[in-house]
Amino acid sequence: MRLSATKLFTLLALTLSGAVTVAEDEASVTSRVVEAYIEMHTHPGRNYPVFYVAERGETIELLKRRTDWIKVRNQRDIEGWVHVDAIGRTVNASGQALGFASPDQDSFSTRHWEFGFMLGELDSTDAITGYGGYHFTPNLSLEAAYTENYGDFSDGKMFTGSIVHQMFPHWRYSPFFTLGGGMRETNPRSTLVATEDRSDGVASVGAGIRIYLTGRLMLRLQYKHYVVMTDRDDDEEAGEWKIGISAFY
Amino acid sequence: MENRYQRVLLGLCLAAATLPATAQDPIQVVEPQLERREIEPPAIDSENFEVGFFAGMISIDDFASEPVYGVRAAWHLSEDFFFEANIGLAEADLTSYEKLSGGAPLFEDSERDYQFYNLSVGWNVLPGEIYFSEKRAFKSDLYLIAGVGGTDFLGDTWFTATVGIGYRLLINDWIAWRLDVRDHIFNRDTFGDDETTQNIEWSTGVTFFF
């Protein structure tokens, strides 16, 4: 990730000027094979053929990572892709195992970032949400969400921020509570007699469950209850059910 | 009275605390050597994001087929799954009725802007390799994709489901050529009744991994 910005600039530079000068100032990361052998695949994927095996004692250079695969180069300049778990069993110069591993339930309970999208019903209209969250402790996280809902009489757009508390971060089925607030914009349908767009504050309370699936993926189910603070005499209340898929990092 | 309650409670607590101590369980003196995974992996470049642009044709239901263009961004979660966000633009022409009747147009020009956006999950169902020569093979993926989003069209925003199939051919480690067919499905009541519209997009594009 650290190099990605450099890559992006390189990309821009390439497309703009056509200059092909890539500064390789980064010190290379190497490791030594201590198992009997490790398998090198032609491309990053379990179905791609193994075309070379690096033997015990060989030193390999780690070039880049794509999902759960690491591109390596050995001393004879042969390049191939090795699964991250196999790299995790190689050692560095001081004989220490490299801390690489594919994401598992352990990484799920210690995640820092999560992003996902959800689909459901907000006050009996179709609604979709995209959200991102940062976990600053295993139990507490802050989330920002953008929701759109599409009704027969009006569309709505909603920006909310919430604080989310999960009681049992190490559980595979991890329940949570959430409290939040934000803004909602309502646009009446164009087929109706013209009414003004309006914008109101909202407050929400909710609960749900995250379920670890596999790799970086989790399923998320939640219910939120919103209070829309309108300018009229009565505040509106709305219930929202959502199901979604998220990934963590 | 309060004193007595306290005494009873303290007594109970003491009894509870001493119970496990008196049990004849073997005491574990030596801590088992646990393999701890606290080593920070060395920082190497990871290329899990893919961004790019696309251009093609979209057949807008009740209107004609029009050029469409846009941008895509994907996050590869594993070799099998990825999340993708898309934004696309097209502009609808007159409906067949408007052309034939010769009357006043039904919609303003700004309402004819067709704009879609969605969030999708993709599944690389058939990863493969294609051979250009004896020694040169390129990685390819045939993927299925499904998502939800919105379409701004004819003055309203419509809830839209997207399904599609696509092909990605990696020219090197980080440049890919893509070919996509997607159906954007939404219900529209612009012409009175609620009707389901299928808007099929054909597109090709180039993406970059970083």
Side-chain angles (χ1 to χ4, degrees), chain B residues 70-123:
Chain B
V71 289
R72 305 192 196 290
W75 176 22
H76 291 261
L77 307 165
S78 67
E79 61 190 271
D80 307 301
F81 295 102
F82 58 95
F83 281 176
E84 192 181 84
N86 295 281
I87 296 173
L89 292 168
E91 202 180 325
D93 201 1
L94 300 175
T95 59
S96 320
Y97 168 77
E98 286 169 306
K99 280 179 197 159
L100 294 171
S101 70
L106 295 168
F107 305 102
E108 288 170 30
D109 278 354
S110 65
E111 290 178 326
R112 289 181 203 273
D113 289 340
Y114 184 102
Q115 200 181 104
F116 64 84
Y117 47 91
N118 57 58
L119 288 169
S120 320
V121 192
W123 174 35

Short mmCIF file of all heavy atoms in Angstrom, two decimals, chain B residues 70-123:
data_model
loop_
_atom_site.label_atom_id
_atom_site.label_comp_id
_atom_site.label_asym_id
_atom_site.label_seq_id
_atom_site.Cartn_x
_atom_site.Cartn_y
_atom_site.Cartn_z
N GLY B 70 -17.69 5.72 -18.61
CA GLY B 70 -17.64 5.90 -17.16
C GLY B 70 -16.36 5.38 -16.55
O GLY B 70 -15.41 5.07 -17.25
N VAL B 71 -16.37 5.30 -15.22
CA VAL B 71 -15.20 4.82 -14.49
C VAL B 71 -15.59 3.67 -13.56
O VAL B 71 -16.74 3.59 -13.09
CB VAL B 71 -14.52 5.94 -13.64
CG1 VAL B 71 -13.83 6.93 -14.53
CG2 VAL B 71 -15.51 6.63 -12.74
N ARG B 72 -14.64 2.79 -13.33
CA ARG B 72 -14.83 1.67 -12.41
C ARG B 72 -13.67 1.66 -11.42
O ARG B 72 -12.55 2.01 -11.79
CB ARG B 72 -14.75 0.33 -13.13
CG ARG B 72 -15.65 0.12 -14.31
CD ARG B 72 -15.60 -1.35 -14.68
NE ARG B 72 -16.13 -1.63 -15.99
CZ ARG B 72 -17.40 -1.54 -16.32
NH1 ARG B 72 -18.29 -1.15 -15.43
NH2 ARG B 72 -17.80 -1.83 -17.54
N ALA B 73 -13.96 1.21 -10.21
CA ALA B 73 -12.90 1.01 -9.23
C ALA B 73 -13.22 -0.27 -8.47
O ALA B 73 -14.36 -0.48 -8.07
CB ALA B 73 -12.81 2.19 -8.28
N ALA B 74 -12.22 -1.11 -8.30
CA ALA B 74 -12.46 -2.38 -7.63
C ALA B 74 -11.45 -2.60 -6.52
O ALA B 74 -10.33 -2.09 -6.57
CB ALA B 74 -12.38 -3.53 -8.62
N TRP B 75 -11.88 -3.32 -5.52
CA TRP B 75 -11.00 -3.74 -4.43
C TRP B 75 -11.00 -5.27 -4.43
O TRP B 75 -12.05 -5.87 -4.22
CB TRP B 75 -11.50 -3.18 -3.11
CG TRP B 75 -10.73 -3.63 -1.90
CD1 TRP B 75 -9.46 -4.10 -1.87
CD2 TRP B 75 -11.19 -3.65 -0.54
NE1 TRP B 75 -9.09 -4.41 -0.58
CE2 TRP B 75 -10.13 -4.14 0.25
CE3 TRP B 75 -12.38 -3.28 0.08
CZ2 TRP B 75 -10.23 -4.29 1.64
CZ3 TRP B 75 -12.49 -3.43 1.45
CH2 TRP B 75 -11.42 -3.92 2.22
N HIS B 76 -9.86 -5.87 -4.68
CA HIS B 76 -9.77 -7.33 -4.72
C HIS B 76 -9.53 -7.87 -3.32
O HIS B 76 -8.50 -7.61 -2.72
CB HIS B 76 -8.69 -7.77 -5.70
CG HIS B 76 -9.08 -7.47 -7.11
ND1 HIS B 76 -9.61 -8.42 -7.94
CD2 HIS B 76 -9.09 -6.31 -7.81
CE1 HIS B 76 -9.92 -7.86 -9.10
NE2 HIS B 76 -9.61 -6.58 -9.05
N LEU B 77 -10.54 -8.59 -2.81
CA LEU B 77 -10.50 -9.09 -1.44
C LEU B 77 -9.74 -10.39 -1.36
O LEU B 77 -9.08 -10.70 -0.38
CB LEU B 77 -11.92 -9.31 -0.93
CG LEU B 77 -12.85 -8.11 -1.07
CD1 LEU B 77 -14.28 -8.53 -0.88
CD2 LEU B 77 -12.47 -7.07 -0.04
N SER B 78 -9.86 -11.21 -2.37
CA SER B 78 -9.16 -12.47 -2.45
C SER B 78 -9.02 -12.78 -3.93
O SER B 78 -9.46 -12.00 -4.76
CB SER B 78 -9.94 -13.58 -1.73
OG SER B 78 -11.13 -13.84 -2.43
N GLU B 79 -8.41 -13.91 -4.23
CA GLU B 79 -8.30 -14.24 -5.66
C GLU B 79 -9.69 -14.53 -6.24
O GLU B 79 -9.85 -14.56 -7.46
CB GLU B 79 -7.37 -15.43 -5.87
CG GLU B 79 -7.84 -16.69 -5.19
CD GLU B 79 -6.78 -17.78 -5.21
OE1 GLU B 79 -6.75 -18.53 -6.17
OE2 GLU B 79 -6.00 -17.87 -4.25
N ASP B 80 -10.68 -14.75 -5.39
CA ASP B 80 -12.01 -15.11 -5.87
C ASP B 80 -13.01 -13.94 -5.91
O ASP B 80 -13.83 -13.88 -6.80
CB ASP B 80 -12.62 -16.20 -4.97
CG ASP B 80 -11.70 -17.39 -4.81
OD1 ASP B 80 -11.37 -17.99 -5.84
OD2 ASP B 80 -11.29 -17.69 -3.68
N PHE B 81 -12.95 -13.06 -4.91
CA PHE B 81 -13.99 -12.03 -4.80
C PHE B 81 -13.43 -10.61 -4.87
O PHE B 81 -12.33 -10.35 -4.43
CB PHE B 81 -14.75 -12.19 -3.48
CG PHE B 81 -15.53 -13.46 -3.41
CD1 PHE B 81 -15.04 -14.53 -2.67
CD2 PHE B 81 -16.73 -13.62 -4.09
CE1 PHE B 81 -15.75 -15.73 -2.61
CE2 PHE B 81 -17.43 -14.79 -4.05
CZ PHE B 81 -16.95 -15.85 -3.31
N PHE B 82 -14.24 -9.71 -5.41
CA PHE B 82 -13.88 -8.30 -5.39
C PHE B 82 -15.13 -7.44 -5.27
O PHE B 82 -16.22 -7.86 -5.64
CB PHE B 82 -13.07 -7.91 -6.64
CG PHE B 82 -13.75 -8.16 -7.96
CD1 PHE B 82 -14.45 -7.14 -8.60
CD2 PHE B 82 -13.70 -9.39 -8.58
CE1 PHE B 82 -15.07 -7.36 -9.82
CE2 PHE B 82 -14.32 -9.63 -9.81
CZ PHE B 82 -15.01 -8.61 -10.42
N PHE B 83 -14.95 -6.25 -4.70
CA PHE B 83 -16.01 -5.24 -4.64
C PHE B 83 -15.73 -4.26 -5.77
O PHE B 83 -14.58 -3.93 -6.03
CB PHE B 83 -15.95 -4.46 -3.32
CG PHE B 83 -16.53 -5.18 -2.14
CD1 PHE B 83 -16.47 -4.61 -0.87
CD2 PHE B 83 -17.14 -6.41 -2.28
CE1 PHE B 83 -17.01 -5.25 0.23
CE2 PHE B 83 -17.69 -7.06 -1.18
CZ PHE B 83 -17.61 -6.47 0.07
N GLU B 84 -16.79 -3.77 -6.38
CA GLU B 84 -16.56 -2.82 -7.45
C GLU B 84 -17.58 -1.69 -7.39
O GLU B 84 -18.75 -1.91 -7.12
CB GLU B 84 -16.64 -3.53 -8.80
CG GLU B 84 -16.14 -2.67 -9.93
CD GLU B 84 -16.23 -3.35 -11.28
OE1 GLU B 84 -17.31 -3.32 -11.88
OE2 GLU B 84 -15.22 -3.93 -11.70
N ALA B 85 -17.13 -0.48 -7.66
CA ALA B 85 -18.02 0.69 -7.77
C ALA B 85 -17.96 1.19 -9.20
O ALA B 85 -16.89 1.21 -9.80
CB ALA B 85 -17.57 1.78 -6.81
N ASN B 86 -19.10 1.57 -9.75
CA ASN B 86 -19.16 2.05 -11.13
C ASN B 86 -19.95 3.34 -11.20
O ASN B 86 -20.94 3.50 -10.49
CB ASN B 86 -19.93 1.04 -12.00
CG ASN B 86 -19.22 -0.27 -12.11
OD1 ASN B 86 -18.29 -0.40 -12.87
ND2 ASN B 86 -19.66 -1.24 -11.32
N ILE B 87 -19.52 4.24 -12.08
CA ILE B 87 -20.30 5.42 -12.40
C ILE B 87 -20.30 5.52 -13.92
O ILE B 87 -19.24 5.42 -14.54
CB ILE B 87 -19.70 6.70 -11.79
CG1 ILE B 87 -19.73 6.63 -10.28
CG2 ILE B 87 -20.47 7.93 -12.26
CD1 ILE B 87 -19.00 7.77 -9.60
N GLY B 88 -21.48 5.69 -14.51
CA GLY B 88 -21.54 5.76 -15.97
C GLY B 88 -22.50 6.84 -16.43
O GLY B 88 -23.43 7.22 -15.71
N LEU B 89 -22.24 7.35 -17.63
CA LEU B 89 -23.06 8.42 -18.20
C LEU B 89 -23.46 8.08 -19.63
O LEU B 89 -22.66 7.56 -20.39
CB LEU B 89 -22.26 9.72 -18.26
CG LEU B 89 -21.88 10.40 -16.96
CD1 LEU B 89 -20.86 11.47 -17.25
CD2 LEU B 89 -23.12 11.00 -16.32
N ALA B 90 -24.70 8.41 -19.96
CA ALA B 90 -25.16 8.30 -21.34
C ALA B 90 -26.22 9.37 -21.54
O ALA B 90 -26.64 10.02 -20.57
CB ALA B 90 -25.73 6.92 -21.60
N GLU B 91 -26.61 9.58 -22.77
CA GLU B 91 -27.65 10.57 -23.01
C GLU B 91 -28.68 9.97 -23.94
O GLU B 91 -28.34 9.52 -25.04
CB GLU B 91 -27.02 11.82 -23.64
CG GLU B 91 -27.88 13.04 -23.42
CD GLU B 91 -27.26 14.28 -24.05
OE1 GLU B 91 -26.02 14.38 -24.05
OE2 GLU B 91 -28.02 15.11 -24.55
N ALA B 92 -29.95 9.96 -23.50
CA ALA B 92 -31.00 9.36 -24.31
C ALA B 92 -31.49 10.36 -25.35
O ALA B 92 -31.51 11.56 -25.11
CB ALA B 92 -32.15 8.91 -23.42
N ASP B 93 -31.88 9.81 -26.50
CA ASP B 93 -32.41 10.64 -27.57
C ASP B 93 -33.95 10.65 -27.44
O ASP B 93 -34.50 10.32 -26.39
CB ASP B 93 -31.95 10.04 -28.91
CG ASP B 93 -32.00 11.06 -30.03
OD1 ASP B 93 -32.36 12.20 -29.75
OD2 ASP B 93 -31.67 10.70 -31.16
N LEU B 94 -34.64 11.00 -28.51
CA LEU B 94 -36.11 10.99 -28.49
C LEU B 94 -36.63 9.55 -28.44
O LEU B 94 -35.99 8.63 -28.96
CB LEU B 94 -36.64 11.66 -29.76
CG LEU B 94 -36.23 13.12 -29.98
CD1 LEU B 94 -36.73 13.60 -31.34
CD2 LEU B 94 -36.82 14.01 -28.89
N THR B 95 -37.79 9.37 -27.84
CA THR B 95 -38.43 8.05 -27.89
C THR B 95 -39.01 7.89 -29.30
O THR B 95 -39.18 8.86 -30.05
CB THR B 95 -39.58 7.95 -26.88
OG1 THR B 95 -40.53 8.97 -27.20
CG2 THR B 95 -39.13 8.14 -25.46
N SER B 96 -39.32 6.64 -29.65
CA SER B 96 -39.88 6.38 -30.98
C SER B 96 -41.17 7.18 -31.18
O SER B 96 -41.44 7.72 -32.25
CB SER B 96 -40.20 4.90 -31.14
OG SER B 96 -39.20 4.15 -30.56
N TYR B 97 -41.95 7.27 -30.11
CA TYR B 97 -43.21 8.01 -30.21
C TYR B 97 -42.98 9.48 -30.55
O TYR B 97 -43.64 10.04 -31.42
CB TYR B 97 -43.99 7.88 -28.89
CG TYR B 97 -45.15 8.83 -28.80
CD1 TYR B 97 -46.34 8.56 -29.49
CD2 TYR B 97 -45.06 10.02 -28.06
CE1 TYR B 97 -47.41 9.44 -29.46
CE2 TYR B 97 -46.12 10.91 -28.03
CZ TYR B 97 -47.29 10.62 -28.72
OH TYR B 97 -48.33 11.50 -28.69
N GLU B 98 -42.00 10.08 -29.86
CA GLU B 98 -41.69 11.50 -30.11
C GLU B 98 -41.26 11.73 -31.55
O GLU B 98 -41.60 12.73 -32.16
CB GLU B 98 -40.59 11.97 -29.15
CG GLU B 98 -41.07 12.15 -27.72
CD GLU B 98 -39.92 12.35 -26.75
OE1 GLU B 98 -39.01 11.50 -26.74
OE2 GLU B 98 -39.92 13.34 -26.01
N LYS B 99 -40.49 10.75 -32.09
CA LYS B 99 -40.01 10.89 -33.47
C LYS B 99 -41.17 10.79 -34.45
O LYS B 99 -41.31 11.59 -35.38
CB LYS B 99 -38.99 9.79 -33.78
CG LYS B 99 -37.61 10.09 -33.26
CD LYS B 99 -36.67 8.94 -33.58
CE LYS B 99 -35.42 9.01 -32.75
NZ LYS B 99 -34.74 7.73 -32.66
N LEU B 100 -42.04 9.78 -34.24
CA LEU B 100 -43.12 9.51 -35.20
C LEU B 100 -44.22 10.56 -35.13
O LEU B 100 -44.72 11.01 -36.14
CB LEU B 100 -43.70 8.12 -34.96
CG LEU B 100 -42.73 6.97 -35.26
CD1 LEU B 100 -43.30 5.65 -34.79
CD2 LEU B 100 -42.41 6.91 -36.75
N SER B 101 -44.59 10.96 -33.91
CA SER B 101 -45.71 11.89 -33.76
C SER B 101 -45.34 13.30 -34.21
O SER B 101 -46.19 14.06 -34.65
CB SER B 101 -46.18 11.93 -32.31
OG SER B 101 -45.21 12.55 -31.52
N GLY B 102 -44.06 13.64 -34.10
CA GLY B 102 -43.62 14.97 -34.49
C GLY B 102 -44.10 16.07 -33.56
O GLY B 102 -43.95 17.25 -33.86
N GLY B 103 -44.70 15.68 -32.44
CA GLY B 103 -45.22 16.67 -31.50
C GLY B 103 -44.13 17.22 -30.61
O GLY B 103 -42.94 17.03 -30.86
N ALA B 104 -44.57 17.94 -29.59
CA ALA B 104 -43.62 18.52 -28.64
C ALA B 104 -42.92 17.40 -27.89
O ALA B 104 -43.54 16.37 -27.58
CB ALA B 104 -44.36 19.41 -27.66
N PRO B 105 -41.60 17.53 -27.61
CA PRO B 105 -40.90 16.48 -26.86
C PRO B 105 -41.48 16.30 -25.46
O PRO B 105 -41.99 17.25 -24.86
CB PRO B 105 -39.46 16.98 -26.83
CG PRO B 105 -39.50 18.42 -27.18
CD PRO B 105 -40.72 18.64 -28.00
N LEU B 106 -41.44 15.06 -24.97
CA LEU B 106 -42.02 14.75 -23.67
C LEU B 106 -41.11 15.14 -22.51
O LEU B 106 -41.57 15.34 -21.40
CB LEU B 106 -42.30 13.25 -23.58
CG LEU B 106 -43.36 12.71 -24.56
CD1 LEU B 106 -43.33 11.19 -24.58
CD2 LEU B 106 -44.74 13.20 -24.16
N PHE B 107 -39.82 15.20 -22.78
CA PHE B 107 -38.88 15.49 -21.70
C PHE B 107 -37.93 16.61 -22.08
O PHE B 107 -37.64 16.82 -23.25
CB PHE B 107 -38.05 14.24 -21.37
CG PHE B 107 -38.88 13.04 -21.04
CD1 PHE B 107 -39.08 12.05 -21.99
CD2 PHE B 107 -39.51 12.93 -19.82
CE1 PHE B 107 -39.86 10.95 -21.70
CE2 PHE B 107 -40.28 11.84 -19.52
CZ PHE B 107 -40.48 10.84 -20.47
N GLU B 108 -37.46 17.28 -21.04
CA GLU B 108 -36.43 18.30 -21.28
C GLU B 108 -35.10 17.61 -21.54
O GLU B 108 -34.89 16.46 -21.15
CB GLU B 108 -36.28 19.18 -20.04
CG GLU B 108 -37.44 20.13 -19.83
CD GLU B 108 -37.37 20.79 -18.46
OE1 GLU B 108 -36.23 20.97 -17.96
OE2 GLU B 108 -38.44 21.11 -17.92
N ASP B 109 -34.18 18.34 -22.16
CA ASP B 109 -32.88 17.75 -22.49
C ASP B 109 -32.13 17.27 -21.25
O ASP B 109 -31.51 16.22 -21.25
CB ASP B 109 -32.01 18.76 -23.24
CG ASP B 109 -32.37 18.78 -24.72
OD1 ASP B 109 -33.21 17.94 -25.13
OD2 ASP B 109 -31.84 19.63 -25.46
N SER B 110 -32.22 18.06 -20.18
CA SER B 110 -31.47 17.69 -18.97
C SER B 110 -32.02 16.40 -18.36
O SER B 110 -31.30 15.65 -17.72
CB SER B 110 -31.53 18.82 -17.96
OG SER B 110 -32.86 19.00 -17.52
N GLU B 111 -33.32 16.15 -18.59
CA GLU B 111 -33.91 14.93 -18.05
C GLU B 111 -33.48 13.69 -18.83
O GLU B 111 -33.66 12.57 -18.37
CB GLU B 111 -35.45 15.03 -18.09
CG GLU B 111 -35.99 16.02 -17.10
CD GLU B 111 -37.51 16.15 -17.20
OE1 GLU B 111 -38.05 16.02 -18.31
OE2 GLU B 111 -38.13 16.36 -16.16
N ARG B 112 -32.95 13.90 -20.02
CA ARG B 112 -32.54 12.77 -20.85
C ARG B 112 -31.14 12.27 -20.48
O ARG B 112 -30.68 11.29 -21.05
CB ARG B 112 -32.56 13.16 -22.33
CG ARG B 112 -33.95 13.34 -22.85
CD ARG B 112 -33.94 13.70 -24.31
NE ARG B 112 -35.17 14.37 -24.66
CZ ARG B 112 -36.28 13.73 -25.03
NH1 ARG B 112 -36.29 12.43 -25.13
NH2 ARG B 112 -37.37 14.41 -25.30
N ASP B 113 -30.46 12.97 -19.58
CA ASP B 113 -29.15 12.48 -19.12
C ASP B 113 -29.37 11.21 -18.31
O ASP B 113 -30.12 11.21 -17.33
CB ASP B 113 -28.46 13.53 -18.24
CG ASP B 113 -27.98 14.71 -19.08
OD1 ASP B 113 -27.85 14.54 -20.29
OD2 ASP B 113 -27.77 15.79 -18.50
N TYR B 114 -28.74 10.16 -18.74
CA TYR B 114 -28.86 8.86 -18.08
C TYR B 114 -27.58 8.65 -17.29
O TYR B 114 -26.49 8.59 -17.86
CB TYR B 114 -29.03 7.77 -19.14
CG TYR B 114 -29.27 6.40 -18.60
CD1 TYR B 114 -30.55 5.84 -18.61
CD2 TYR B 114 -28.22 5.62 -18.13
CE1 TYR B 114 -30.77 4.56 -18.14
CE2 TYR B 114 -28.43 4.35 -17.64
CZ TYR B 114 -29.71 3.83 -17.66
OH TYR B 114 -29.93 2.56 -17.18
N GLN B 115 -27.73 8.57 -15.97
CA GLN B 115 -26.54 8.48 -15.12
C GLN B 115 -26.74 7.33 -14.15
O GLN B 115 -27.77 7.29 -13.48
CB GLN B 115 -26.42 9.79 -14.35
CG GLN B 115 -25.06 10.06 -13.82
CD GLN B 115 -25.06 11.37 -13.05
OE1 GLN B 115 -25.04 11.37 -11.85
NE2 GLN B 115 -25.11 12.49 -13.76
N PHE B 116 -25.82 6.40 -14.10
CA PHE B 116 -25.98 5.30 -13.15
C PHE B 116 -24.76 5.15 -12.26
O PHE B 116 -23.65 5.55 -12.63
CB PHE B 116 -26.30 3.98 -13.86
CG PHE B 116 -25.21 3.47 -14.78
CD1 PHE B 116 -24.15 2.73 -14.28
CD2 PHE B 116 -25.26 3.73 -16.13
CE1 PHE B 116 -23.15 2.26 -15.11
CE2 PHE B 116 -24.27 3.27 -16.98
CZ PHE B 116 -23.22 2.54 -16.47
N TYR B 117 -24.99 4.62 -11.08
CA TYR B 117 -23.90 4.33 -10.15
C TYR B 117 -24.29 3.11 -9.36
O TYR B 117 -25.48 2.88 -9.10
CB TYR B 117 -23.62 5.52 -9.23
CG TYR B 117 -24.85 6.13 -8.60
CD1 TYR B 117 -25.31 5.69 -7.37
CD2 TYR B 117 -25.56 7.12 -9.28
CE1 TYR B 117 -26.46 6.23 -6.81
CE2 TYR B 117 -26.70 7.66 -8.73
CZ TYR B 117 -27.15 7.21 -7.50
OH TYR B 117 -28.29 7.73 -6.96
N ASN B 118 -23.33 2.28 -9.04
CA ASN B 118 -23.66 1.08 -8.27
C ASN B 118 -22.46 0.53 -7.52
O ASN B 118 -21.32 0.88 -7.79
CB ASN B 118 -24.26 -0.01 -9.17
CG ASN B 118 -23.35 -0.38 -10.31
OD1 ASN B 118 -22.21 -0.79 -10.10
ND2 ASN B 118 -23.83 -0.21 -11.53
N LEU B 119 -22.76 -0.30 -6.54
CA LEU B 119 -21.75 -1.03 -5.78
C LEU B 119 -22.04 -2.51 -6.01
O LEU B 119 -23.19 -2.94 -5.90
CB LEU B 119 -21.87 -0.72 -4.28
CG LEU B 119 -21.41 0.65 -3.84
CD1 LEU B 119 -21.83 0.90 -2.40
CD2 LEU B 119 -19.90 0.77 -3.97
N SER B 120 -21.02 -3.27 -6.36
CA SER B 120 -21.24 -4.65 -6.74
C SER B 120 -20.24 -5.59 -6.10
O SER B 120 -19.18 -5.18 -5.64
CB SER B 120 -21.11 -4.81 -8.25
OG SER B 120 -21.68 -3.74 -8.94
N VAL B 121 -20.60 -6.86 -6.10
CA VAL B 121 -19.67 -7.92 -5.70
C VAL B 121 -19.39 -8.75 -6.94
O VAL B 121 -20.32 -9.15 -7.65
CB VAL B 121 -20.28 -8.87 -4.65
CG1 VAL B 121 -19.19 -9.76 -4.07
CG2 VAL B 121 -20.96 -8.13 -3.55
N GLY B 122 -18.14 -9.00 -7.19
CA GLY B 122 -17.76 -9.82 -8.34
C GLY B 122 -17.14 -11.12 -7.87
O GLY B 122 -16.51 -11.17 -6.81
N TRP B 123 -17.33 -12.14 -8.67
CA TRP B 123 -16.78 -13.45 -8.36
C TRP B 123 -16.03 -13.95 -9.58
O TRP B 123 -16.64 -14.12 -10.64
CB TRP B 123 -17.91 -14.41 -7.97
CG TRP B 123 -17.48 -15.83 -7.76
CD1 TRP B 123 -16.31 -16.26 -7.23
CD2 TRP B 123 -18.22 -17.01 -8.10
NE1 TRP B 123 -16.27 -17.63 -7.20
CE2 TRP B 123 -17.43 -18.11 -7.72
CE3 TRP B 123 -19.48 -17.22 -8.66
CZ2 TRP B 123 -17.86 -19.42 -7.91
CZ3 TRP B 123 -19.91 -18.52 -8.85
CH2 TRP B 123 -19.10 -19.61 -8.46
#
